Amino acid sequence: MSALAGLYEEIRACRECELAKYRTKVVPGEGAEDADLLFIGEAPGWHEDQQGRPFVGPAGQFLDQLLASIGLRREEVYIANVIKCRPPQNREPLPVEIESCRRWLDRQIEIVQPQMIITLGRHSLARYFPNDSIGKVHGKPRRLGDVIYYPMYHPAAALHQGSLRRTIETDMLKIPQILARGKDLPQDAVESHQLSLF
Ligand code: URA
């Protein structure tokens, strides 16, 4: 069994927070175990909860289009969420839920060891940079150690607010160049110890 498949079994058995009561299926995440790019969304929605797969509803269709715009299929990247179970009525994840799910995403990142972590939306941005606002930092890469962090708006934001569509598309198109620059990107001024606090 691959490291990820073993981890998915553990995640599917998780009953650590209240969301276990409401879920149809757990949505651990999916993609290539050796992906260079790892995308982090917020939480499963209705479609994801039904299928047990991330980003398979309307926001997911847009994400697939965005990936295609840089010549990638979803199987070639890794896609996860901050929390693995759908909150009732799609409400925002509670801090306690984000906290109890934290170790799963940490282990996914440890296994995949991506070169670039792309945060989609506010909640996944906050996991790394709690003081940043998405409006200011989207589309701006920052390197901490060997990993490049790249905040983007959530694809669902474009579905609710059409004017953001072009911004998201433009930010996505920058990814291949950023990845190619990789270790040449200057190290971010944020101290790496700050990361471990969140
Ligand atoms: N929105 C997310 O943040 N994640 C999904 O998996 C689907 C929609």
Side-chain angles (χ1 to χ4, degrees):
M1 191 189 292
S2 73
L4 280 175
L7 178 60
Y8 296 161
E9 283 196 358
E10 287 185 58
I11 299 177
R12 287 195 185 100
C14 178
R15 306 200 63 83
E16 206 153 298
C17 79
E18 290 275 297
L19 294 182
K21 282 198 220 154
Y22 306 109
R23 70 190 179 210
T24 310
K25 288 191 173 165
V26 180
V27 183
E30 66 184 30
E33 194 149 322
D34 61 352
D36 290 338
L37 304 181
L38 187 146
F39 290 83
I40 307 175
E42 178 179 322
W46 186 85
H47 296 274
E48 291 76 23
D49 175 69
Q50 293 292 308
Q51 296 185 38
R53 297 181 56 209
F55 281 97
V56 289
Q61 283 166 18
F62 184 37
L63 180 60
D64 286 344
Q65 287 170 24
L66 291 166
L67 288 171
S69 75
I70 55 168
L72 290 172
R73 287 171 297 118
R74 63 161 56 209
E75 299 76 27
E76 297 173 286
V77 301
Y78 194 82
I79 304 175
N81 281 305
V82 171
I83 62 170
K84 312 303 188 197
C85 297
R86 179 187 180 223
Q89 279 85 48
N90 290 348
R91 65 154 168 74
E92 301 221 336
L94 302 174
V96 62
E97 294 158 357
I98 295 176
E99 206 38 56
S100 33
C101 238
R102 171 174 300 279
R103 63 198 170 107
W104 299 132
L105 184 54
D106 285 343
R107 283 176 61 192
Q108 287 170 310
I109 293 168
E110 223 174 272
I111 293 170
V112 177
Q113 299 207 348
Q115 293 186 41
M116 200 163 161
I117 292 181
I118 298 115
T119 58
L120 301 172
R122 279 186 304 120
H123 285 281
S124 63
L125 173 66
R127 194 178 197 274
Y128 296 100
F129 306 108
N131 299 321
D132 284 354
S133 107
I134 184 90
K136 289 211 178 112
V137 300
H138 73 89
K140 296 183 182 152
R142 54 214 305 190
R143 186 165 71 78
L144 295 169
D146 287 338
V147 181
I148 302 162
Y149 294 83
Y150 187 60
M152 286 181 58
Y153 280 104
H154 194 287
L159 307 178
H160 303 305
Q161 204 180 328
S163 57
L164 281 180
R165 193 181 178 96
R166 180 63 74 80
T167 306
I168 297 177
E169 289 168 347
T170 306
D171 287 349
M172 186 66 129
L173 288 172
K174 291 196 225 161
I175 289 180
Q177 256 187 336
I178 296 166
L179 194 59
R181 277 186 71 193
K183 302 211 167 52
D184 294 339
L185 281 170
Q187 182 84 6
D188 193 274
V190 173
E191 295 292 331
S192 59
H193 73 261
Q194 282 184 257
L195 265 187
S196 62
L197 295 176
F198 304 106

